[in-house]
Amino acid sequence: MKTNHIDDVAVVAISTIQRMFSMLSGHEIDEEMEEKSMFDDDNILMKEVEPIKYNPNFPIESFDYIVVDECHRSIYNLWRQVLDYFDAKIIGLTATPSKQTI
């Protein structure tokens, strides 16, 4: 997605988790942050997670499934609240399983 809305006729929406955070929170997208993962920042585990309030433009039932690629990098800490916001089933894909992703 390159805009801050989901096309009403779309069957599939593809986005970075950072862009979804931007859309849900109403903050401008930080293009540099969109390229980073939690492993790119040594202090990421110390950063406080920003909660997401209900956004009527994105109802919690917007998706049936959310597929997260590289889930071992993206579903913890700063971006978890994006996935917790929706009531969809989450499918995590990783080629680097760890105790946290099982």
Side-chain angles (χ1 to χ4, degrees), residues 34-79:
E34 197 170 22
E35 299 296 323
K36 291 184 177 184
S37 76
M38 70 178 267
F39 297 106
D40 294 332
D41 186 344
D42 293 335
N43 297 318
I44 201 122
L45 296 176
M46 306 308 274
K47 292 184 179 176
E48 192 168 325
V49 174
E50 183 177 338
I52 297 176
K53 297 177 183 168
Y54 180 74
N55 183 332
N57 296 322
F58 301 98
I60 62 171
E61 67 276 359
S62 294
F63 303 108
D64 295 322
Y65 296 94
I66 296 175
V67 179
V68 180
D69 192 21
E70 299 290 333
C71 70
H72 64 281
R73 293 179 177 238
S74 59
I75 65 173
Y76 303 107
N77 302 318
L78 291 181
W79 311 119

Side-chain angles (χ1 to χ4, degrees), residues 17-32:
I17 200 160
Q18 294 90 338
R19 184 166 300 277
M20 281 305 301
F21 173 80
S22 170
M23 292 167 62
L24 291 170
S25 66
H27 296 345
E28 286 291 320
I29 182 85
D30 181 345
E31 302 288 342
E32 184 178 309

